[in-house]
Amino acid sequence: ISGMFDHRTRKGLMDEWRALAVDLNIPHRGELSMVEYLSRANQRLAWQSQSLPTDNLCVENAIVLERFQRFPLMIDPSGQATKFVAEKYKALKIQQTSFLDTAFMKTLASAIRFGTPLLVHDVENLDPVLNPVLNRELQKTGGRTLIRLGNEDIDYSPKFVIILVTRNPAAAFPPDLCSRVTMVNFTVTPASLESQALAQILLAEHPDVEQRRTDVLRLQGEQNVKVRELEESLLDELSKVEGNILDDDTVIQALERLKGEAAAVSKDIDKTEEVMRDVRAVTDVYQPLAHACSTTYFAMEQLADVHFLYQFTIHFFLKVLGRVLDGDGKTEETKTAAKSTSTGERLGAVTDAFFAAVAKRVSRGLLWEDKLTFALRLVQIRLSQGGAAQVPTDQEFDALLSNSTAAKLANPAQTMVNSPLLACGVALTEPQLRAIATVALMPSCTGLAHNAAEGDAAAAWASFLASPSAENEVPLYWIGTAEGGPGGVRAAFLGLLVVKALRPDRLVAAMEAYVTTVLGPQFPWRGQQELSAVVEEDSEAAVPLLLCSAPGHDASGQVDALAAVVNRKVASVAMGSSEGYDLADSMISTNAKSGGWVLLRNIHLCPDWLNTLEKRIHGLTAHPQFRLFLSADIHPKLPTALLRTSDMIITDTPTGVKASMQHFLATIPTARMEKAPGQRRRLYLLLAWLHAVVMERLRYAPIGWSKRYEFAETDAACTLSVLDHWLESVAGNRQQVDPEQIPWAALRVMLSQSTYGARIDNAFDQKVLDSFVETIYVPESFDIGFKPAPSAPEFPEATSMEGLVQWVAELPDSNPPTWLGLPATAEARLLTDQGRRVAEKLGLLQEGGLDDTQPSPMDAGAAGADAASAEAKQGKLAALAIKVDGWLASLPVDAGAAAAASAEAAGASGALGRCIGRERAKGCGLLERVRRDLTDVAGFCRGAVKPTNDLRGLVGDISRGRTPVAWKRAYVTPSGFGVDAWLPDFVRRMGQILALSTSSEEWWLGGLFSPESWITASRQHTAQETQVPLDELVLTVSRTGAGLAVKGSGVHFKVKGLQIEGAAWKPAGLALADAIKAPLPTVLLSVETSGPRPGRRN
């Protein structure tokens, strides 16, 4: 059954079984190797000669393929297993087929009848005709063994073997199929890929050394086989002895002969060891690069955890590495180093070229935020090659990835007193104080606390906090020489932590600067590349180019534009119907032979057909000039197999009012723009501005819009058509028309209720859209000096198309949020959220998650790289255990009494009492769940608790800073609320809930699990107290002067912790504010029977 698991799971199972044997006092050999026990050396040597990789996982899988009872189903994304099986059964004339083969049934029947091995490709969906074969539904008739295949019985040869294989590692097979086959997982392991990368590097850089290394490894395998044969011969001779062994001259002579052969083999082994030492001296130089290659590929694989679109194959990666080693795209520096005799210089140049090539090829298939995330992961891998001096410590890197700080569990007052910046007189908010205090507690940042008050520190910190480019003005004077000084790579990372703590709105810019510091200003981490260069330099006939874009933005226009430039004819078809499937198949077949280009548009509309397309492409023999382009929206139903096969280019939606307007105007043909009347171009400009504002506000959701509505270019295109019709009906054949005659009211209704408004389902969002439409679509928009928004630029006086395009081109590349009707602080909020998301995604790319590891007695006996890995694992587990212990200590301890009190309160009379009882019951239940989970995690880290699937998931979430799903679903929290922020918030909530009573003086409304229930309960409580019907009660919020008013009939509650959006509560009353949210002082929430009185804010 182990064949279905990957290498990590198998290792975990072996460790668990060994631990069980120790616990149960079962005698066993701790160093026993399953590979050595289940296979012989000569078998492994034969498998190696049949193209089987030498890593343990592949050898274990070969053993499974040698000993299977049920026919095997192989998961083989790299194609290595398929090649091995083809070589293994080559002498038996193995046949290969697939379900798409028209002669499949004939091939299957022939293989069953004559006992020929059969390899069936692409079995993501099993053909039912194989059911009797897999079930071995045999019948005996007249001395013949028959099996029913379809509607006929055929002879069944006992030598028949069928092997199923899929290239899709994400394929999901039903349980009934898994029970009838032997699953064999050939996914690539880090050790296997590192070995492949090292061989490819040596073959390019030192082919003679690689040849010697290969020969030595082969000789060592042969020598091991010879030693094993000698041992077996010796045992065989000894078993033949009859009587006294010394009286048998034949045995003595045989022993002498075996002794001589053993001595000869021993000499050969010594010689090969000497050669291997010389070879190892060269390979050790390139081993760090090979390890970096392996780590980089698995970082690429982990991108699938960030977004479903990111799928990369081992073939893609090895092709990138091969092109780097062959010299494609090398810089002049790399070419110069290649001619140099210095191996170190050459290694550095190849390493730089490798990272640049990976970033360039991978990033063009990533969304913008994820490009930065992947670049930061590459920085980690690159720094790990240069030694520990430049690499951030685990504590430092956790501070970057964490959404909160450990200081949130400390006493806020104490944290503020200990903050190193208080001595500078710099005014900081409470979250900033806690965050910077946490940074200062790190061993590498102790200078921050000691030197914060020296010299002009106060001015430097004040300038940093107020600077629009704070990432360039981080005070680093406190960094000592042990950390490389203020100008080193370490200083850049520590500065990144300071920016995250004090200026999170500049974190993204600081991350970009950090990437530039480590990898250089020319490092192509943005992956921006023209489609023409991709087609000319990187594309292949057998690899389709998949152009993905956000819904509503069609990227296929780039292909049309490129074809026009290079004068190539493109056969295109819009997908979505069965007729399109047949036409696409015909186009691919025809152009694959002639070398033409084919464009399939909107393939996301036919996800079921795409699996067939992928299999068709995989077996396609095409002309070298043939290119297949696919365009699609970013859609979750795009099949993984096609994503892995394709070379992806993601077209991001243009950001900024300028970019959006330019993109919109570019889609309007010149002839349409120049048509009479002349007022048409002004109306087009108004629509371009409105469309840009509507689309840009999506980036600020939920501030711009309450949610991400599916606004698209088609909305603007539809508006253009209606606008043209109405304008032409008014103008007739006239060249000009009076703006007053334009049907403004009809245009406003169409925009606010149909084209854009039809997608809106929120009343406030509808009011926002109405305000834009009523401000822009008015006759005054033709006046000189008209502004579509108070802070927006004036519309141009020019009426020609060239003048409008020139005005748009002169707009700034980035616009303030005030152009969109948002406060100026909205941009800071947007950038802060982006920085938080990048840090979260970077955590997903970290290798060596703790969810699949546990302290093992075998770790103590590890050596070399395994010892380093075991030590790192133990260190991470110990750090997590300490962290969890701190969380456990912070949890309330009187949950039992509180639970009893909650049960009593739940049965108490009164709506408010019952509400408090429900809050306590829910809180106490969640508290016990959290305490139990944290206790299990701490036990797991110390090896005292056996892992289960649930516990592994829990450890994985907590070690990566994510809040476990079971905790998070208990109540609503802000997006991106990690476990470091969730636990302190939960402790604070429980502090209030355990102290609640119907007579509580203050209520933290946001600290309740269900604030809506409390509002309802307060109204019911008031109705009971005042004997007034519910529909006559009024809910008000009031604050008069410096104190709280407690007058009037009704029931009053003091409520704290409220916030107000877009305004501030000042002594004179409510006033608009630039801040998105502002805290309210403690207010009086009243449920009254009377109407509002003077001084109250309703």
Side-chain angles (χ1 to χ4, degrees):
I1 62 172
S2 64
M4 65 183 298
F5 300 127
D6 60 14
H7 69 287
R8 290 182 178 177
T9 307
R10 294 185 191 185
K11 183 180 181 301
L13 285 173
M14 290 299 298
D15 290 343
E16 185 174 349
W17 293 340
R18 289 191 179 101
L20 284 173
V22 172
D23 293 343
L24 299 175
N25 296 320
I26 298 175
H28 69 286
R29 288 170 52 193
E31 72 281 1
L32 175 66
S33 168
M34 285 297 190
V35 170
E36 295 285 345
Y37 180 74
L38 296 175
S39 65
R40 298 189 302 274
N42 57 346
Q43 276 184 311
R44 296 192 293 273
L45 185 63
W47 293 337
Q48 186 178 347
S49 67
Q50 293 165 350
S51 304
L52 181 74
T54 56
D55 62 284
N56 276 348
L57 181 79
C58 290
V59 176
E60 290 171 0
N61 288 339
I63 294 173
V64 175
L65 290 175
E66 190 75 19
R67 294 169 171 260
F68 66 83
Q69 298 296 322
R70 296 168 293 180
F71 292 126
L73 191 161
M74 302 190 306
I75 301 172
D76 182 28
S78 67
Q80 294 173 332
T82 303
K83 185 178 180 181
F84 164 67
V85 169
E87 288 290 331
K88 177 180 175 62
Y89 292 99
K90 183 177 182 181
L92 298 177
K93 299 180 181 180
I94 185 173
Q95 298 184 36
Q96 301 189 41
T97 185
S98 73
F99 295 139
L100 296 180
D101 189 353
T102 55
F104 172 74
M105 287 296 294
K106 182 179 179 181
T107 304
L108 176 61
S110 174
I112 293 175
R113 181 176 290 113
F114 299 107
T116 306
L118 184 64
L119 183 62
V120 183
H121 295 271
D122 301 324
V123 293
E124 289 83 8
N125 297 305
L126 189 71
D127 193 319
V129 75
L130 285 181
N131 285 337
V133 178
L134 298 181
N135 295 338
R136 301 184 191 243
E137 298 174 1
L138 307 179
Q139 50 184 328
K140 303 285 187 177
T141 304
R144 298 168 58 192
T145 303
L146 303 177
I147 187 170
R148 189 162 189 82
L149 194 64
N151 56 0
E152 64 175 331
D153 292 330
I154 62 174
D155 291 294
Y156 183 89
S157 172
K159 296 181 181 179
F160 169 70
V161 173
I162 183 171
I163 300 174
L164 311 177
V165 62
T166 176
R167 293 174 289 110
N168 185 5
F173 299 103
D176 69 300
L177 174 61
C178 296
S179 66
R180 291 180 289 151
V181 298
T182 299
M183 302 292 293
V184 187
N185 193 344
F186 271 93
T187 51
V188 180
T189 66
S192 174
L193 181 56
E194 186 172 331
S195 177
Q196 289 184 61
L198 180 61
Q200 192 168 344
I201 294 169
L202 290 175
L203 188 62
E205 302 297 315
H206 296 280
D208 56 329
V209 175
E210 172 59 14
Q211 184 61 46
R212 291 171 62 193
R213 188 177 78 97
T214 303
D215 293 342
V216 168
L217 291 175
R218 179 177 53 80
L219 285 173
Q220 285 182 334
E222 293 175 352
Q223 289 162 356
N224 289 335
V225 171
K226 185 64 175 176
V227 170
R228 183 63 179 265
E229 289 177 351
L230 291 174
E231 292 174 351
E232 291 177 353
S233 298
L234 177 59
L235 293 175
D236 186 54
E237 292 294 339
L238 291 175
S239 65
K240 295 178 181 178
V241 174
E242 297 180 0
N244 191 344
I245 188 174
L246 299 179
D247 297 336
D248 194 335
D249 294 338
T250 304
V251 174
I252 297 299
Q253 292 173 3
L255 292 178
E256 290 291 339
R257 175 175 55 79
L258 292 176
K259 180 180 178 182
E261 292 178 0
V265 171
S266 179
K267 288 182 180 180
D268 291 340
I269 292 176
D270 292 339
K271 290 180 181 179
T272 56
E273 285 295 334
E274 292 178 4
V275 175
M276 199 62 189
R277 278 194 293 269
D278 297 337
V279 171
R280 196 174 294 117
V282 178
T283 59
D284 286 349
V285 175
Y286 293 94
Q287 194 70 45
L289 176 57
H291 180 73
C293 290
S294 176
T295 307
T296 301
Y297 171 73
F298 283 96
M300 291 164 53
E301 275 211 330
Q302 288 169 318
L303 282 170
D305 295 335
V306 175
H307 200 287
F308 69 89
L309 277 181
Y310 308 151
Q311 304 288 339
F312 302 95
T313 64
I314 186 65
H315 296 293
F316 170 84
F317 177 77
L318 292 178
K319 183 172 67 175
V320 173
L321 177 59
R323 295 191 63 176
V324 169
L325 297 174
D326 291 341
D328 290 352
K330 288 181 180 177
T331 63
E332 289 299 324
E333 179 184 357
T334 305
K335 294 178 180 178
T336 303
K339 300 176 182 178
S340 173
T341 57
S342 171
T343 303
E345 214 177 307
R346 169 65 178 160
L347 177 61
V350 170
T351 302
D352 292 340
F354 165 73
F355 280 100
V358 169
K360 182 179 178 182
R361 292 294 302 275
V362 173
S363 293
R364 71 181 180 219
L366 306 180
L367 295 168
W368 182 88
E369 282 183 8
D370 303 333
K371 293 178 182 181
L372 180 57
T373 302
F374 185 63
L376 289 168
R377 183 69 182 109
L378 291 181
V379 166
Q380 273 188 280
I381 299 171
R382 185 69 177 93
L383 288 178
S384 66
Q385 290 186 286
Q390 303 292 338
V391 181
T393 64
D394 290 341
Q395 183 185 15
E396 293 165 356
F397 208 80
D398 286 345
L400 176 64
L401 301 182
S402 173
N403 294 329
S404 183
T405 60
K408 287 204 171 186
L409 294 176
N411 186 321
Q414 182 182 5
T415 301
M416 293 180 190
V417 170
N418 292 336
S419 175
L421 297 185
L422 287 182
C424 298
V426 179
L428 298 177
T429 63
E430 182 177 328
Q432 287 176 318
L433 285 167
R434 286 171 164 165
I436 195 62
T438 302
V439 174
L441 292 175
M442 296 181 184
S444 55
C445 300
T446 53
L448 176 62
H450 296 157
N451 303 326
E454 295 182 359
D456 299 327
W461 287 107
S463 175
F464 161 70
L465 291 171
S467 174
S469 56
E471 69 280 0
N472 298 323
E473 300 185 27
V474 183
L476 298 175
Y477 57 85
W478 48 272
I479 297 180
T481 55
E483 305 298 336
V489 172
R490 285 277 295 151
F493 184 83
L494 297 179
L496 192 61
L497 299 183
V498 174
V499 171
K500 182 177 185 292
L502 300 180
R503 287 294 304 272
D505 58 308
R506 301 305 301 168
L507 179 59
V508 170
M511 287 174 169
E512 294 179 3
Y514 180 59
V515 172
T516 300
T517 300
V518 177
L519 299 176
Q522 303 302 321
F523 187 74
W525 65 269
R526 290 178 176 85
Q528 296 173 347
Q529 194 172 12
E530 295 294 331
L531 180 61
S532 58
V534 174
V535 173
E536 181 180 352
E537 299 173 7
D538 295 334
S539 65
E540 297 178 0
V543 180
L545 284 170
L546 176 58
L547 284 72
C548 281
S549 57
H553 296 270
D554 187 8
S556 61
Q558 300 181 38
V559 181
D560 296 327
L562 175 61
V565 171
V566 299
N567 196 24
R568 293 295 300 265
K569 187 178 179 180
V570 180
S572 66
V573 59
M575 304 304 297
S577 64
S578 57
E579 294 82 3
Y581 304 160
D582 298 334
L583 186 57
D585 286 334
S586 175
M587 287 180 176
I588 292 174
S589 299
T590 302
N591 288 275
K593 297 176 182 177
S594 63
W597 287 8
V598 176
L599 170 60
L600 306 184
R601 305 176 191 268
N602 301 324
I603 63 170
H604 60 281
L605 300 178
C606 51
D608 295 333
W609 177 77
L610 293 180
N611 285 312
T612 304
L613 174 65
E614 187 275 331
K615 295 174 184 177
R616 172 80 182 279
I617 295 170
H618 179 68
L620 187 67
T621 301
H623 189 283
Q625 297 300 318
F626 170 71
R627 294 294 182 272
L628 176 60
F629 299 91
L630 311 173
S631 74
D633 288 352
I634 298 176
H635 196 281
K637 289 190 177 181
L638 291 173
T640 302
L642 181 65
L643 297 177
R644 292 176 67 84
T645 302
S646 306
D647 192 354
M648 187 180 303
I649 302 174
I650 292 183
T651 304
D652 274 333
T653 306
T655 59
V657 170
K658 174 182 176 179
S660 181
M661 292 184 72
Q662 286 179 323
H663 179 75
F664 173 75
L665 294 176
T667 61
I668 305 176
T670 303
R672 184 178 186 179
M673 182 79 79
E674 295 293 349
K675 287 176 63 177
Q679 283 70 27
R680 182 189 307 272
R681 290 176 286 280
R682 188 71 162 196
L683 291 175
Y684 283 3
L685 185 64
L686 293 176
L687 180 58
W689 179 272
L690 176 65
H691 182 71
V693 169
V694 169
M695 298 302 294
E696 271 297 285
R697 286 179 69 98
L698 286 175
R699 297 176 55 229
Y700 294 87
I703 302 171
W705 302 108
S706 61
K707 63 181 181 180
R708 297 189 63 87
Y709 295 108
E710 295 183 356
F711 299 124
E713 292 178 352
T714 54
D715 299 328
C718 178
T719 304
L720 279 178
S721 300
V722 177
L723 189 152
D724 284 344
H725 175 73
W726 287 351
L727 188 60
E728 290 168 1
S729 65
V730 170
N733 295 323
R734 291 178 292 175
Q735 295 296 316
Q736 301 292 332
V737 66
D738 185 356
E740 295 289 346
Q741 297 181 359
I742 297 174
W744 295 108
L747 286 175
R748 289 194 291 267
V749 170
M750 176 188 65
L751 291 167
S752 61
Q753 301 297 327
S754 298
T755 51
Y756 291 102
R759 300 185 184 275
I760 292 177
D761 56 9
N762 181 277
F764 181 78
D765 290 340
Q766 185 63 56
K767 291 181 179 179
V768 171
L769 178 63
D770 291 345
S771 68
F772 284 126
V773 172
E774 292 167 2
T775 302
I776 296 173
Y777 278 83
V778 291
E780 291 77 10
S781 61
F782 283 81
D783 294 345
I784 296 176
F786 173 75
K787 290 184 176 183
S791 61
E794 296 180 355
F795 268 26
E797 298 181 18
T799 58
S800 65
M801 177 179 178
E802 292 78 8
L804 299 182
V805 172
Q806 179 64 27
W807 178 79
V808 173
E810 292 175 355
L811 292 175
D813 292 332
S814 59
N815 54 273
T818 53
W819 287 16
L820 312 177
L822 296 172
T825 54
E827 187 71 19
R829 168 73 177 272
L830 177 67
L831 294 174
T832 300
D833 289 343
Q834 286 180 347
R836 173 186 53 78
R837 289 195 298 269
V838 170
E840 284 180 356
K841 293 174 181 177
L842 182 59
L844 296 177
L845 300 186
Q846 301 307 303
E847 62 178 344
L850 299 182
D851 53 329
D852 56 1
T853 61
Q854 190 181 30
S856 167
M858 299 302 297
D859 290 341
D866 290 338
S869 175
E871 184 178 354
K873 179 181 71 175
Q874 295 283 1
K876 291 180 179 180
L877 289 170
L880 180 60
I882 294 173
K883 193 174 188 180
V884 170
D885 288 343
W887 287 336
L888 282 170
S890 69
L891 296 177
V893 295
D894 56 347
S902 66
E904 181 180 352
S909 60
L912 206 56
R914 290 191 294 272
C915 177
I916 294 173
R918 288 192 297 269
E919 288 285 325
R920 282 183 181 169
K922 184 173 183 178
C924 292
L926 181 59
L927 176 63
E928 289 306 308
R929 172 65 183 265
V930 170
R931 192 190 310 278
R932 182 175 65 252
D933 287 348
L934 290 179
T935 302
D936 289 345
V937 170
F940 174 91
C941 294
R942 295 182 172 91
V945 176
K946 296 302 178 184
T948 63
N949 289 337
D950 291 340
L951 182 54
R952 287 190 179 97
L954 191 65
V955 173
D957 285 338
I958 293 178
S959 64
R960 291 177 173 89
R962 298 192 296 255
T963 305
V965 177
W967 302 0
K968 190 163 52 177
R969 70 163 63 103
Y971 60 93
V972 178
T973 56
S975 60
F977 218 50
V979 66
D980 291 317
W982 189 91
L983 272 165
D985 175 80
F986 175 63
V987 170
R988 186 181 171 201
R989 286 172 184 267
M990 289 303 300
Q992 172 187 241
I993 289 172
L994 294 177
L996 279 180
S997 69
T998 56
S999 59
S1000 295
E1001 291 190 3
E1002 282 190 347
W1003 299 77
W1004 173 32
L1005 197 57
L1008 299 175
F1009 294 120
S1010 181
E1012 301 88 348
S1013 299
W1014 185 88
I1015 294 292
T1016 301
S1018 65
R1019 290 171 55 82
Q1020 294 172 345
H1021 176 75
T1022 303
Q1024 292 175 347
E1025 291 288 325
T1026 60
Q1027 298 299 309
V1028 175
L1030 281 173
D1031 55 0
E1032 296 181 12
L1033 295 177
V1034 179
L1035 183 67
T1036 62
V1037 178
S1038 61
R1039 182 174 176 83
T1040 56
L1044 294 172
V1046 194
K1047 298 179 180 179
S1049 60
V1051 179
H1052 311 277
F1053 305 92
K1054 293 181 181 179
V1055 178
K1056 62 181 179 180
L1058 296 181
Q1059 292 183 324
I1060 188 169
E1061 294 185 357
W1065 195 312
K1066 297 184 178 180
L1070 284 176
L1072 293 177
D1074 290 336
I1076 297 174
K1077 293 182 179 180
L1080 285 176
T1082 301
V1083 298
L1084 193 70
L1085 191 150
S1086 305
V1087 183
E1088 301 178 327
T1089 57
S1090 59
R1093 61 180 186 272
R1096 178 179 297 124
R1097 309 291 183 257
N1098 294 324

